[in-house]
Amino acid sequence: MKLILTLALLQGMTAYAGEVHSNGYTVRFDERIEEASGDLHGATAGRVSIVRTSDQALVWQENTPLRPDCGVVAAVTAINDRFVAVCGHLGGRHYTQKIIFMQGNALSMVSVDQYDSPSPVRVERNGSLAIDVQRRDRFPGELTGPHYFPTVYRLHHDDATFGFVPSFDGDAAERYWQHYRATRQAAPAAAVLPELLASLLAAQAGKQSICAELDTLTVDLQQGQQHDAQGARTLMSTWLHKLPAIGYPAFDTQACPGRI
């Protein structure tokens, strides 16, 4: 009876979460109990381990405060024959993905915070990796409530760089346009204006023209007589000039003359 109880306790302390085999390696993401002193002592956390399949040698191990699994995104995913993604959370929120590059004896890892909205890593048409991130609290003290600002991150990997950087090119533009349409349908324009305009700024490199949308937003902001036409344009102009400060492209005034 004591043996059964001991085994049950050990299993609870080292819960198995996920494992994949890729390009000669086995990647595991397990739960563990944090033993180090500090705020997380005794809490459930995680451990990422990479084992070489040929001789079962441990080539990488990292203790992390992240717990395995991200809801719609699995704890461990083999993206292709070179990349594996592990995804974890901090107590059911603040999701983070770690992308591991595995080829030959070269192992590299980069992290991407996804905050409240985990989404899978995808392979773009040109073979690059991309991931969608929704950031909030971008204007603390000015915006109340959860306002989510979208950014497409694309992995840059060469001899000098291994990391995700924001992308606002033509391929990413369609993702921003989709986010704009979904946000537009979900709430009145006045309630989500900053993120609507952020999506439009990010989508400028695409085939869709944002000029007509700016006209529609101007009309919608006048509903309920909260703004007249000039007031609506002034409000939109204010945000269009603020948003580049958090990384969005500047508004192309030449493309939409007289709008703002």
Side-chain angles (χ1 to χ4, degrees):
M1 183 67 178
K2 289 183 178 180
L3 178 60
I4 294 174
L5 178 59
T6 300
L7 289 174
L9 289 173
L10 288 174
Q11 289 172 353
M13 292 174 65
T14 58
Y16 170 74
E19 174 182 294
V20 298
H21 304 276
S22 178
N23 208 11
Y25 294 95
T26 299
V27 181
R28 292 176 61 100
F29 192 6
D30 300 306
E31 285 190 349
R32 64 181 178 86
I33 301 300
E34 179 59 75
E35 297 177 349
S37 59
D39 293 340
L40 289 177
H41 180 76
T44 302
R47 175 179 291 123
V48 179
S49 304
I50 304 176
V51 173
R52 190 165 52 235
T53 306
S54 60
D55 58 4
Q56 294 300 298
L58 180 66
V59 297
W60 180 291
Q61 183 166 278
E62 175 184 279
N63 287 338
T64 171
L66 298 171
R67 297 175 62 177
D69 203 15
C70 289
V72 297
V73 179
V76 188
T77 304
I79 301 171
N80 54 32
D81 61 354
R82 295 190 303 156
F83 294 99
V84 169
V86 299
C87 193
H89 62 88
L90 295 175
R93 60 186 299 273
H94 197 110
Y95 300 95
T96 296
Q97 293 211 45
K98 295 176 178 288
I99 313 302
I100 308 167
F101 170 72
M102 301 184 301
Q103 192 165 23
N105 293 321
L107 295 176
S108 303
M109 181 182 294
V110 63
S111 295
V112 183
D113 287 328
Q114 290 194 289
Y115 307 95
D116 299 342
S117 305
S119 62
V121 180
R122 63 183 180 277
V123 181
E124 301 279 68
R125 291 179 298 177
N126 63 359
S128 65
L129 302 187
I131 192 167
D132 297 332
V133 174
Q134 306 277 355
R135 293 182 180 273
R136 69 175 187 176
D137 301 327
R138 302 299 285 155
F139 293 93
E142 186 170 4
L143 292 178
T144 57
H147 289 260
Y148 291 97
F149 294 89
T151 303
V152 174
Y153 282 81
R154 186 167 288 120
L155 182 66
H156 281 211
H157 188 203
D158 54 32
D159 293 340
T161 305
F162 182 58
F164 280 88
V165 296
S167 179
F168 301 102
D169 59 18
D171 288 336
E174 179 60 27
R175 308 290 297 190
Y176 294 118
W177 185 257
Q178 292 173 4
H179 185 270
Y180 170 80
R181 299 306 303 170
T183 305
R184 193 85 168 81
Q185 296 172 13
V192 289
L193 182 64
E195 48 262 63
L196 287 174
L197 294 175
S199 298
L200 288 179
L201 287 178
Q204 288 179 105
K207 296 178 181 179
Q208 298 280 359
S209 172
I210 71 170
C211 305
E213 296 302 324
L214 293 176
D215 290 340
T216 303
L217 288 175
T218 301
V219 173
D220 287 358
L221 289 173
Q222 297 175 62
Q223 301 298 321
Q225 298 181 344
Q226 294 182 349
H227 304 279
D228 59 16
Q230 184 57 47
R233 282 192 288 269
T234 299
L235 178 61
M236 291 171 59
S237 178
T238 298
W239 278 110
L240 287 171
H241 284 88
K242 284 183 179 181
L243 288 164
I246 61 170
Y248 287 99
F251 176 51
D252 184 1
T253 55
Q254 300 299 318
C256 305
R259 255 59 174 205
I260 300 297

